[in-house]
Amino acid sequence: MKKNLGVVQAVYPMPVLMVAAYDENGKVNVMNAAWGMICNTDRIALFIDEDHKTTQNLLKTKAFTVSLADRDHMEAADFFGIATGNKMTDKFERTGYTAVRSEFVNAPVIEEFPVVMECELADVVENDSFYCIVGKIINTAAEESVLSENDKVDPAKLNALIFDQFQHGYYVSTEKVGQAWNAGVPLMRK
């Protein structure tokens, strides 16, 4: 029997995304965003507040990167979520991390995170319910250490962080339990 819990953000898993942009002086800012998703074959949607320093920066530069945080970099990833660039001018520098300019867009690539999507600002969608940044993915790059033999990202090697909105924890998922577009085929045959 189910127990009523009231209004709970009951979507699991949520990604742990590192959104990075330059300010008008070329200074790097990074934020942790869990409310993001792929919304088309070459688009990513980020449901983030307009007042974030990173949001303001990417609105000015019209470009940003989105990296997948992983287990090895959890401390910095969490820090990027609890510290605000609006109040902490050395937020990125405190981590000791390295940023290089993307080859494809005017945005920083944070070297420590293993997978990055380099994006141009495609759209801003705003209404009474949400504020959404939509990016056009221009390129995705990944460390060779997280690639499979067919040069695709291998989730078992990636150790990507997953955010749990129920208990506010970080998890990793490394076990493959089935193949998409195949596991349900037996039911198609009924």
Side-chain angles (χ1 to χ4, degrees):
M1 181 163 142
K2 290 183 178 64
K3 180 177 181 178
N4 292 326
L5 301 176
V7 177
V8 174
Q9 301 148 353
V11 174
Y12 177 83
M14 296 293 289
V16 179
L17 305 173
M18 300 293 104
V19 182
Y22 290 123
D23 71 6
E24 60 276 357
N25 300 313
K27 184 174 177 59
V28 175
N29 196 19
V30 185
M31 68 174 285
N32 181 324
W35 293 12
M37 67 169 83
I38 296 298
C39 61
N40 204 330
T41 56
D42 66 345
R43 298 283 194 273
I44 186 166
L46 303 170
F47 297 90
I48 55 180
D49 289 333
E50 184 177 8
D51 63 344
H52 287 298
K53 178 72 171 161
T54 304
T55 306
Q56 291 303 307
N57 290 346
L58 70 85
L59 290 172
K60 291 175 188 167
T61 62
K62 309 281 192 248
F64 58 98
T65 59
V66 180
S67 299
L68 301 180
D70 63 336
R71 176 189 295 211
D72 290 344
H73 303 98
M74 180 177 59
E75 179 181 346
D78 190 60
F79 171 74
F80 288 138
I82 59 178
T84 174
N86 287 321
K87 295 180 182 175
M88 187 179 291
T89 58
D90 65 340
K91 177 179 170 180
F92 180 71
E93 292 80 5
R94 284 186 188 205
T95 64
Y97 278 20
T98 308
V100 298
R101 187 172 296 278
S102 163
E103 294 178 45
F104 299 92
V105 299
N106 181 26
V109 172
I110 311 306
E111 291 283 88
E112 286 74 10
F113 297 116
V115 177
V116 62
M117 291 167 277
E118 299 157 272
C119 305
E120 291 176 347
L121 180 61
D123 202 2
V124 176
V125 181
E126 181 177 8
N127 62 37
D128 291 340
S129 298
F130 62 83
Y131 187 86
C132 178
I133 298 294
V134 179
K136 179 178 182 184
I137 302 167
I138 304 302
N139 182 59
T140 301
E143 292 291 334
E144 289 185 21
S145 62
V146 301
L147 298 178
S148 63
E149 304 77 43
N150 62 354
D151 282 338
K152 292 187 178 184
V153 175
D154 182 342
K157 293 179 180 180
L158 181 59
N159 283 312
L161 289 181
I162 298 168
F163 178 62
D164 145 42
Q165 294 195 113
F166 303 112
Q167 305 281 334
H168 300 141
Y170 292 119
Y171 295 83
V172 294
S173 173
T174 57
E175 179 185 1
K176 183 177 180 178
V177 296
Q179 186 66 37
W181 297 283
N182 185 304
V185 169
L187 291 174
M188 295 293 292
R189 296 185 184 130
K190 278 189 164 186

